[in-house]
Amino acid sequence: MRLILLIDMDYFFAACEELRDPSIKDKPVVVGADPKAGEGRGVVSTCNYIARKYGIHSAMPISQAYRLKKDAVFLPVDDKYYEETSAKVMAIIKRYAAKVEQVSIDEAFADISSNVDGYNGAVEYAAMIKKSIKEELGLPCSIGISANKLLAKMACTAAKPDGIKLVKDEDGKAFLSQMDVEMLYGIGEKTAEKLRAMGYKTVGELAKANQIKLIDAFGIWGAELYKNANGIDDSELVDNDVVKSIGRETTFEKDTSEVQAMKDAIRKMAEEVGKELQAKKFAFKVVTIKIRYSDFSEHLKSRSLRQHTDKVEDMASSAYFLIEKYAEKGRAVRKIGVRVSGLLAYKGQKKISSFVNYPRLKPVGFP
Ligand SMILES: [Mg+2]
């Protein structure tokens, strides 16, 4: 049996904004176009759940949102910041699943079939992922669990906000049956209109449709619709992960400002990263450390080496250098991480040293 998760961040852009400025957390937050006192054009991109209580929702004209709640916190879309945050979310998910398909900036399928046994294990595993995302990034998400992508996606929608929902394969059909056809994953407004005109208002009705009729109306997609309405989806995850970096992070049991404690943690992580590099046959060129202070502010500092290497020693010494240079003295650190990037695959070669001219490497190019 396959075990698929759909992990979807809750009100992602607005949640990112709340993270950056916690003082807006208890207010309605609307991310999108400039409302210009009601004259603004463009739409709402995302809003938090407080804003939703006033009837505001994604894709609504910003002028309308303004009329609904003039004193809401209106913020522009900060793509770069959301992309960076998204990368962090995806990195956490990838720690837990060998196969991940990112479907949007804040959403990914994860195949955990080889990580857990059965549905109970999957629920616990999902809770762990959710907890990691919450603890490490401070962001809420919802997770749907099932045996295929379609049901995982639909389960996730039902889990929102901030929940986890399991829909067992055998319960899929019943789970979907009462929903409007428009709610079925992959059905847009136009298709839904057409289906309703054909007499299929609910997914349950569509599940009992005459397949030939559907294929006549929608072509090959008609057969797919029929299967989906019955909770069937054989599609595989599209693994769109190109390994770009490998890293580890450690949260200290007690926040520390001791450089030696940070170095010890780095040493341990560097060894793990080294093992992973060797297993995957990658050499690296850039070492990055992450320092998160007790107030959750975070600093990333990188150092580039002259040549690729797969040596733990090179990784650790660069990381030590970065800590000494950048860790703010006396400031309590909550978490520390080390990451290598600029990866070069040397598949087919026994060792990196057999194709890279490999004298001792002199790090260059401090940021
Ligand atoms: Mg989302």
Side-chain angles (χ1 to χ4, degrees):
M1 181 180 66
R2 290 198 302 158
L3 288 166
I4 311 291
L5 307 181
L6 189 272
I7 301 143
D8 186 12
M9 303 306 291
D10 295 337
Y11 65 101
F12 184 56
F13 294 176
C16 288
E17 295 296 347
E18 289 179 1
L19 202 59
R20 181 152 62 179
D21 177 7
S23 74
I24 61 174
K25 222 177 160 57
D26 300 322
K27 300 172 184 165
V29 177
V30 181
V31 177
D34 184 348
K36 293 182 181 162
E39 303 296 312
R41 301 177 64 160
V43 297
V44 174
S45 179
T46 316
C47 59
N48 68 0
Y49 279 88
I50 301 174
R52 286 177 208 194
K53 281 188 197 150
Y54 296 95
I56 300 170
H57 58 77
S58 301
M60 167 184 279
I62 198 77
S63 53
Q64 193 182 344
Y66 184 81
R67 281 195 295 278
L68 286 166
K69 188 67 181 157
K70 285 191 178 58
D71 58 352
V73 178
F74 288 94
L75 294 167
V77 176
D78 183 350
D79 284 33
K80 191 168 169 285
Y81 169 51
Y82 309 145
E83 291 282 355
E84 284 165 11
T85 311
S86 165
K88 290 179 197 166
V89 171
M90 296 304 153
I92 291 175
I93 296 172
K94 282 168 194 168
R95 249 173 25 212
Y96 286 94
K99 202 168 190 189
V100 174
E101 176 183 351
Q102 187 175 346
V103 281
S104 77
I105 189 165
D106 74 331
E107 211 177 315
F109 287 108
D111 188 329
I112 57 164
S113 312
S114 61
N115 299 92
V116 294
D117 249 355
Y119 285 124
N120 289 340
V123 173
E124 277 172 34
Y125 206 71
M128 263 164 58
I129 298 175
K130 186 167 159 52
K131 191 162 172 253
S132 288
I133 295 175
K134 184 79 193 181
E135 285 187 353
E136 293 177 37
L137 303 177
L139 291 168
C141 70
S142 299
I143 304 183
I145 308 165
S146 193
N148 66 51
K149 287 164 72 175
L150 171 89
L151 288 174
K153 170 73 185 175
M154 300 298 290
C156 185
T157 304
K160 283 197 164 292
D162 205 23
I164 292 176
K165 182 162 177 73
L166 163 70
V167 175
K168 293 180 183 172
D169 197 25
E170 59 267 33
D171 302 331
K173 201 172 159 175
F175 171 67
L176 299 175
S177 68
Q178 297 304 310
M179 296 180 189
D180 290 346
V181 280
E182 198 165 341
M183 286 183 69
L184 194 64
Y185 187 37
I187 294 188
E189 233 173 278
K190 284 224 170 87
T191 306
E193 246 171 61
K194 206 165 161 182
L195 285 170
R196 279 192 287 263
M198 290 169 74
Y200 311 121
K201 289 192 177 60
T202 65
V203 177
E205 287 164 359
L206 184 60
K208 285 184 235 139
N210 181 332
Q211 273 196 78
I212 307 292
K213 244 175 101 181
L214 289 175
I215 292 168
D216 275 348
F218 297 98
I220 190 75
W221 162 232
E224 202 68 25
L225 272 178
Y226 177 81
K227 275 166 88 178
N228 289 355
N230 282 281
I232 299 164
D233 174 19
D234 311 317
S235 66
E236 287 290 333
L237 267 67
V238 182
D239 195 343
N240 48 13
D241 178 33
V242 182
V243 179
K244 287 187 185 123
S245 69
I246 295 176
R248 291 287 185 283
E249 291 180 7
T250 302
T251 304
F252 293 109
E253 271 179 34
K254 214 169 147 252
D255 295 0
T256 182
S257 56
E258 279 182 33
V259 171
Q260 191 55 48
M262 296 178 211
K263 285 186 175 177
D264 291 346
I266 289 281
R267 177 81 216 176
K268 228 174 123 193
M269 291 187 285
E271 272 158 19
E272 283 181 37
V273 171
K275 274 185 199 145
E276 192 176 333
L277 281 168
Q278 274 151 26
K280 291 181 172 163
K281 295 192 187 298
F282 279 117
F284 64 90
K285 204 171 177 203
V286 178
V287 177
T288 301
I289 60 155
K290 173 155 117 181
I291 303 174
R292 182 178 293 165
Y293 294 98
S294 52
D295 63 357
F296 279 87
S297 66
E298 202 169 67
H299 293 287
L300 296 169
K301 295 291 175 189
S302 302
R303 185 186 212 200
S304 189
L305 307 176
R306 189 185 294 277
Q307 280 179 316
H308 281 87
T309 166
D310 61 350
K311 289 268 189 295
V312 171
E313 243 5 275
D314 295 325
M315 193 191 318
S317 61
S318 294
Y320 290 173
F321 169 84
L322 290 167
I323 283 176
E324 277 167 0
K325 192 168 160 88
Y326 292 111
E328 291 178 41
K329 302 282 174 286
R331 198 168 168 197
V333 171
R334 178 186 165 82
K335 172 185 281 189
I336 196 151
V338 62
R339 179 161 293 276
V340 293
S341 56
L343 300 182
L344 177 68
Y346 58 98
K347 287 188 178 118
Q349 306 275 346
K350 274 212 181 77
K351 292 182 97 168
I352 180 77
S353 49
S354 61
F355 87 104
V356 172
N357 175 20
Y358 194 73
R360 293 314 300 155
L361 301 166
K362 271 270 176 269
V364 291
F366 306 147

